[in-house]
Amino acid sequence: MYGIGEVGVKAVKSEQDYMRRSMQLNQTPKFDLTSHEESNSLIRRHESEKSRGSTFLKTQVDDSSLCSTSSICSAPICRQFWRAGNYDDRLNSKPASQNGTGYLRIHPKFLHSNATSHKWVFGAVAELLDNSVDEIQNGATFVIVDKILNPRNGTTALLIQDDGGGMDPEAMRRCLSFGFSDKKSKTAIGQYGNGFKTSSMRLGADVVVFSRCQKNRTLTQSVGLLSYTYLMQTRQDRIVVPMVSNTFEINRCNIHVDYQFNANSGTWNTLHNEQQLKNNLSILLQWSPVATEAELLKQCDDIGPHGTKIIVYNLWHNDDGKMELDFESDPEAYLSILYLQVPEKFSILLRGRVVEYHNIAADLKFPEFIMYRPQNVEGSVLTTIGFLKEAPAVNIHGFNVYHKNRLILPFWHVVTYSDSRGRGVVGVLEANFIEPTHNKQEFEKTPVFQKLETRLKEMTQEYWDYHCGLI
Ligand SMILES: Nc1ncnc2c1ncn2[C@@H]1O[C@H](COP(=O)(O)OP(=O)(O)OP(=O)(O)O)[C@@H](O)[C@H]1O
Ligand SMILES: [Mg+2]
């Protein structure tokens, strides 16, 4: 399986070689956002490649006047997620400058309350992975999940990076806005236009996104910031979301800067007017882990020809002061069953190691394949049911229910096995005829869902009655 990762690296490498030839490279980068562990071979390889051939891209903007290296981006006042939404905004609020009728107003508290839908931090990590997995159809071959160091304050940050199609400036704006989903494909996991915001804000107070995209022979890169810390500390009492994207102006929530590559001059040109660039860049450099425009461009360069790099920082803490996202506890088991099928050419790299995909259905003893026809829905669904290899000496049972390839309900207990009829019985099915809730950790409790529950209960008991003598 490791070879698959290598294929991805090779693809990145050859495209980077192509990029190097076509771009004018003229400075050596300073590397700032460092991986905690030397073991992350993929990143290491990226880095050593970068140091062999210089990667810094010339920009037409003189960054010396725009960077604010002296200001440290401070941690949010409250580091516990479940308490961070409790503040008295009457004392603090500062009127926002945009009062026009062309804007919707959303209170910054919404950023926080929207994120409370994720009770579990790994459920939030899964949303960020979903966005990378949805990029497989745009050429993604890997997604990296790792911890890195935020050089501003020495704290741990979360890195999620893929080599998918990336986002052009318009897509970046939609990514940072609420309820806009670009995904038209029936097979895409994403549908609500909400996952990025809820999950990143559930994991940490702040997130910065770097993305590179080639579309219609145009190469762009965009950097966006969603910062609860910034909104709190500058006492913004509202997030302004543009209702029509082409009336977009400087937006106090969706801070982003965009560049387009000019192949003739070999330079990155800004897509903003001078004032816009100055405003957005100064906020980005003050409130994100990157302190200079040069570092910001270096981060984009690290992506390669196309893809997206997300850094969630000022990660939330538990009441005992420890980070909620515990990198030491092993999320690998969850990640290994998160998708029903992962294409051969795609790898999930968790802290430098390829996550081995685990097909539970293929592991079952005495499997049975049962067709289920939901009422009023076309087609039927295949359920695989059987005993876990370890049965009966195992305390696990239930159904892994997927929706569009993504695990929504892990080991759903449709029966209690106090009467023993179900112990060790596990099933797997993809239920695309019911809808997941917005956090993708449950399904909507509709009558169709309830019928499915009843049928799975019967299936378990019938299976048990016929097969319990075999174990
Ligand atoms: N890694 C990525 N690569 C490319 N585009 C991305 C990436 N992450 C987010 N986006 C873009 O940002 C948009 C918003 O993402 P978000 O996760 O909020 O919503 P969604 O995936 O469309 O729907 P859902 O709320 O169901 O997850 C996506 O529709 C996609 O266009
Ligand atoms: Mg999504």
Side-chain angles (χ1 to χ4, degrees):
M1 190 74 176
Y2 195 68
I4 295 166
E6 299 220 2
V7 173
V9 177
K10 275 184 199 146
V12 169
K13 186 167 180 275
S14 60
E15 286 190 66
Q16 279 179 340
D17 289 344
Y18 165 74
M19 296 279 287
R20 280 201 202 101
R21 280 198 300 279
S22 62
M23 290 175 186
Q24 183 181 333
L25 308 168
N26 70 340
Q27 279 185 45
T28 311
K30 277 190 290 169
F31 185 64
D32 262 322
L33 293 167
T34 41
S35 171
H36 268 338
E37 295 249 324
E38 279 297 289
S39 66
N40 189 332
S41 57
L42 192 69
I43 294 181
R44 252 205 338 262
R45 258 175 275 180
H46 274 261
E47 288 319 310
S48 63
E49 249 184 81
K50 297 287 151 71
S51 54
R52 280 202 301 277
S54 171
T55 52
F56 191 70
L57 300 166
K58 195 173 157 193
T59 168
Q60 288 195 329
V61 186
D62 171 14
D63 63 314
S64 56
S65 61
L66 297 167
C67 61
S68 52
T69 41
S70 58
S71 62
I72 299 295
C73 98
S74 29
I77 297 155
C78 175
R79 299 300 306 272
Q80 278 86 25
F81 175 74
W82 295 105
R83 293 180 191 181
N86 298 332
Y87 64 91
D88 189 352
D89 52 338
R90 285 168 308 174
L91 302 172
N92 284 337
S93 64
K94 192 167 96 179
S97 51
Q98 296 96 333
N99 289 320
T101 52
Y103 294 94
L104 276 175
R105 283 191 285 171
I106 294 178
H107 197 282
K109 268 192 180 180
F110 179 72
L111 268 190
H112 181 272
S113 57
N114 201 31
T116 57
S117 66
H118 284 291
K119 304 284 173 262
W120 190 48
V121 281
F122 284 117
V125 172
E127 289 264 14
L128 296 176
L129 289 183
D130 291 345
N131 285 341
S132 296
V133 168
D134 278 343
E135 284 301 304
I136 292 175
Q137 59 185 19
N138 294 323
T141 61
F142 67 81
V143 55
I144 295 168
V145 183
D146 208 344
K147 64 174 180 178
I148 57 169
L149 208 60
N150 176 356
R152 293 275 197 175
N153 53 15
T155 58
T156 300
L158 168 69
L159 168 82
I160 308 268
Q161 181 173 347
D162 66 55
D163 64 342
M167 289 176 259
D168 66 8
E170 193 48 44
M172 175 67 84
R173 277 194 277 279
R174 284 196 293 267
C175 175
L176 297 172
S177 306
F178 294 89
F180 294 93
S181 179
D182 270 354
K183 298 172 184 172
K184 306 276 179 288
S185 156
K186 273 193 173 163
T187 55
I189 302 165
Q191 52 177 326
Y192 302 120
N194 213 22
F196 170 79
K197 282 69 64 176
T198 52
S199 57
S200 54
M201 291 293 108
R202 176 64 187 86
L203 292 163
D206 309 289
V207 60
V208 61
V209 189
F210 305 87
S211 199
R212 247 191 202 176
C213 177
Q214 294 183 49
K215 224 184 215 174
N216 308 327
R217 303 175 66 83
T218 306
L219 180 60
T220 55
Q221 61 189 26
S222 301
V223 185
L225 177 78
L226 199 58
S227 171
Y228 193 58
T229 309
Y230 159 70
L231 292 168
M232 292 298 98
Q233 297 204 353
T234 57
R235 298 177 293 143
Q236 305 298 324
D237 74 344
R238 66 199 72 181
I239 300 163
V240 181
V241 178
M243 290 211 302
V244 185
S245 57
N246 58 12
T247 63
F248 185 85
E249 285 169 5
I250 297 164
N251 181 311
R252 302 204 74 82
C253 169
N254 303 341
I255 306 302
H256 63 99
V257 288
D258 311 303
Y259 303 86
Q260 184 172 322
F261 188 66
N262 181 331
N264 294 330
S265 62
T267 55
W268 287 98
N269 300 342
T270 169
L271 291 173
H272 303 266
N273 68 38
E274 207 180 313
Q275 192 55 40
Q276 264 184 339
L277 179 76
K278 212 170 165 172
N279 277 321
N280 286 6
L281 200 54
S282 71
I283 295 170
L284 248 160
L285 299 182
Q286 186 173 354
W287 297 94
S288 82
V290 288
T292 66
E293 194 189 18
E295 282 174 35
L296 181 139
L297 292 168
K298 165 69 174 62
Q299 289 298 322
C300 293
D301 199 28
D302 278 343
I303 292 169
H306 48 81
T308 300
K309 180 176 193 172
I310 295 167
I311 297 170
V312 187
Y313 55 103
N314 288 328
L315 298 172
W316 299 113
H317 286 190
N318 283 322
D319 280 349
D320 59 7
K322 293 204 181 104
M323 251 183 4
E324 242 192 301
L325 183 63
D326 178 5
F327 288 88
E328 307 317 320
S329 80
D330 189 9
E332 195 169 344
Y334 174 59
L335 296 188
S336 71
I337 56 167
L338 187 57
Y339 303 103
L340 194 53
Q341 280 170 342
V342 183
E344 277 253 323
K345 61 180 191 331
F346 186 82
S347 315
I348 300 174
L349 288 133
L350 175 63
R351 307 213 49 214
R353 282 192 0 190
V354 175
V355 173
E356 291 291 341
Y357 158 67
H358 190 165
N359 181 354
I360 291 199
D363 278 359
L364 297 176
K365 283 195 291 195
F366 314 115
E368 293 286 343
F369 306 96
I370 301 167
M371 284 308 231
Y372 173 65
R373 267 177 233 286
Q375 246 178 10
N376 307 330
V377 180
E378 262 185 47
S380 48
V381 177
L382 184 75
T383 302
T384 309
I385 187 167
F387 280 118
L388 279 179
K389 263 193 289 193
E390 299 81 3
V394 67
N395 222 357
I396 299 172
H397 73 291
F399 288 84
N400 279 349
V401 190
Y402 290 79
H403 183 264
K404 296 193 178 167
N405 199 31
R406 154 71 135 83
L407 181 62
I408 305 293
L409 289 177
F411 300 106
W412 178 29
H413 290 180
V414 290
V415 297
T416 51
Y417 61 71
S418 50
D419 59 353
S420 271
R421 289 173 82 199
R423 190 181 176 88
V425 178
V426 163
V428 178
L429 68 153
E430 188 179 37
N432 293 338
F433 56 93
I434 43 179
E435 283 301 313
T437 53
H438 279 216
N439 64 6
K440 302 205 179 80
Q441 298 295 305
E442 283 174 89
F443 285 101
E444 302 285 0
K445 304 284 184 297
T446 57
V448 183
F449 174 84
Q450 278 149 7
K451 285 209 177 79
L452 174 68
E453 182 172 14
T454 308
R455 180 67 193 106
L456 293 181
K457 194 171 180 169
E458 288 166 8
M459 257 185 223
T460 309
Q461 290 172 342
E462 282 164 17
Y463 181 88
W464 175 268
D465 292 346
Y466 277 104
H467 297 84
C468 63
L470 299 172
I471 56 163

